[in-house]
Amino acid sequence: MLSNSLKYAGIIATGSYMPDNILTNFDLEQMVDTNNEWIISRTGIEERRITGDDMATSDIATKAALNALYNAGMSPEEIDLIIVATITPDMAFPSTACIVQKNIGAKNAAAFDLGAACSGFMYGITVAEKFIKTGYYKNIMVIGAETLSKILDYTDRNTCVLFGDGAGAVIISEVEEGYGVLSSCMGANGYDGHLLTLPAGGSRRPASVETIEERLHYIKMDGSEVFKFAIKTMGQAAEDALEKCGLTKEDVDFLIPHQANTRIIDSAVKRLKISQERVYINLNKYGNMSAASIAVALDEANQKQLLKDGDVVVLVGFGAGLTWGSAVLKWKNYRR
Ligand code: ACO
């Protein structure tokens, strides 16, 4: 039932799970024509995590979800909705969110997947916030989870060095007035969607011998065009969300950007004039985990107790679509 007054929605707990297997730049040197120096200087990435053949996206999403529930001190039955942001679902259907619902025993939850690529977690936060704000739901789990290693062409050096696997989760619930999500923005530019695609396996080009022979079940990317888009978008999306809640870049205490490339992050940092120690970066360890990147970075920053009560935290990401998303949070540490 809808209540009359709007509520404040915030992140009350975070969790994550990273696969154990590490693939270093030196390992990649043995697999494809690349080298450690090129990867570090062009991207900042040193290593990434890879799930084994026996694990799918729902498996790592489940572990992140259980970790968030534990950190919230909450039972799975208290979750009303599960949103899984991913471009690497276990299969076309059922949704990965429904598989996670079963795995964690969230029997009272609705569940769906959300597809906005690397911006998916930011889109998920915006969607969840609206449901909490209106009183429609009380507790929502938003998960960003990817097994990108399963859709990477390890003969294509333009893409295979960039991405990794991982999962992060948050629980969004009602919080005190003035805290939680102060504003958020979502955007899309489908006109440039061709710059970053997984061409086959959908209804346009169903799987066939031909699509396999043409290696169309792997990520294809025009890296330099995506790079230009990202440079333009990251700072702008962060500024848009700040403006929406009446804050300025001087108010920002902590920035958690999508972890794609240190040069892209640096451009946003420069534009926001924020000092490096107030920016969370883990892409050296994990590479780009698409929808999981911001979720995992947020959990790490939270577990390290870098986020203080009252901090203004900006989350911002961009991705295939093309898409972008940002949010401004007034942080509070909740312990149940
Ligand atoms: N090792 C060695 N050389 C390489 C590698 C590699 N792994 N990859 C590309 N190169 C070569 C290219 O073949 C090219 O060589 P050429 O000039 O002889 O043709 C050259 O390096 C390209 O160099 P640059 O143009 O200088 O590369 P750039 O500085 O643009 O960096 C990169 C490439 C890292 C891909 C960058 O463009 C980038 O980060 N783009 C954004 C990508 C991104 O963030 N995508 C994720 C979106 S998120 C999502 O939704 C999934």
Side-chain angles (χ1 to χ4, degrees):
M1 195 170 62
L2 286 177
S3 64
N4 293 328
S5 59
L6 288 180
K7 299 170 189 315
Y8 286 81
I11 293 170
I12 61 142
T14 64
S16 63
Y17 173 78
M18 298 303 299
D20 293 333
N21 290 343
I22 295 174
L23 184 71
T24 67
N25 292 348
F26 299 105
D27 295 328
L28 282 162
E29 284 182 3
Q30 308 304 313
M31 298 161 66
V32 69
D33 181 16
T34 190
N35 59 79
N36 179 52
E37 198 280 325
W38 190 96
I39 302 172
I40 290 184
S41 64
R42 299 302 172 97
T43 71
I45 301 165
E46 294 163 30
E47 58 187 44
R48 65 289 290 144
R49 299 299 174 95
I50 305 293
T51 48
D53 291 343
D54 58 337
M55 279 196 124
T57 296
S58 68
D59 298 317
I60 62 173
T62 295
K63 287 178 185 287
L66 290 172
N67 187 221
L69 281 171
Y70 175 82
N71 291 334
M74 198 178 261
S75 76
E77 289 87 358
E78 291 177 81
I79 299 295
D80 301 309
L81 172 66
I82 298 170
I83 301 174
V84 175
T86 187
I87 53 168
T88 49
D90 287 24
M91 57 193 91
F93 62 87
S95 69
T96 301
C98 282
I99 300 170
V100 172
Q101 182 226 15
K102 177 197 72 177
N103 289 352
I104 66 174
K107 54 181 186 226
N108 299 314
F112 64 84
D113 287 359
L114 189 157
C118 300
S119 311
F121 181 69
M122 299 313 306
Y123 271 53
I125 285 186
T126 301
V127 171
E129 186 236 349
K130 307 304 174 212
F131 279 124
I132 300 294
K133 209 169 176 170
T134 53
Y136 193 89
Y137 285 134
K138 284 197 172 353
N139 303 305
I140 300 179
M141 173 88 74
V142 181
I143 304 171
E146 303 285 11
T147 50
L148 293 164
S149 61
K150 314 261 183 182
I151 57 165
L152 281 176
D153 182 349
Y154 284 100
T155 66
D156 176 11
R157 68 178 185 175
N158 292 300
T159 53
C160 74
V161 304
L162 302 175
F163 300 97
D165 302 345
V170 297
I171 296 171
I172 301 189
S173 306
E174 185 182 349
V175 296
E176 301 98 294
E177 190 174 341
Y179 286 91
V181 182
L182 302 183
S183 65
S184 64
C185 294
M186 301 189 293
N189 168 18
Y191 301 93
D192 289 332
H194 59 279
L195 297 175
L196 183 47
T197 64
L198 192 138
S203 59
R204 179 69 59 194
R205 297 205 66 180
S208 65
V209 171
E210 190 188 42
T211 60
I212 292 169
E213 280 172 358
E214 290 176 27
R215 306 184 80 76
L216 298 181
H217 296 275
Y218 296 117
I219 293 179
K220 310 285 176 201
M221 181 175 72
D222 182 335
S224 62
E225 286 304 312
V226 174
F227 186 85
K228 284 182 214 156
F229 155 74
I231 297 273
K232 225 170 40 200
T233 308
M234 287 274 273
Q236 186 64 53
E239 282 181 12
D240 288 349
L242 284 164
E243 194 183 333
K244 222 167 162 180
C245 61
L247 296 179
T248 67
K249 47 195 178 191
E250 284 74 36
D251 297 309
V252 180
D253 295 301
F254 217 86
L255 175 69
I256 302 185
H258 175 47
Q259 313 278 318
N261 184 316
T262 36
R263 292 183 293 147
I264 294 171
I265 294 175
D266 287 347
S267 76
V269 166
K270 215 164 141 193
R271 181 159 170 175
L272 294 172
K273 295 195 174 81
I274 186 165
S275 60
Q276 284 289 350
E277 63 274 14
R278 291 188 293 142
V279 182
Y280 196 81
I281 295 181
N282 61 9
L283 76 89
N284 54 315
K285 291 188 296 175
Y286 304 140
N288 179 348
M289 298 183 288
S290 188
S293 276
I294 295 174
V296 171
L298 177 62
D299 180 53
E300 286 193 352
N302 189 21
Q303 302 315 329
K304 290 178 183 170
Q305 301 184 342
L306 300 176
L307 308 176
K308 309 288 178 219
D309 287 355
D311 275 359
V312 172
V313 180
V314 172
L315 312 178
V316 59
F318 67 93
L322 300 172
T323 55
W324 59 93
S326 53
V328 179
L329 315 176
K330 182 86 166 270
W331 191 260
K332 180 143 189 198
N333 292 293
Y334 292 92
R335 299 278 179 269
R336 272 182 134 201

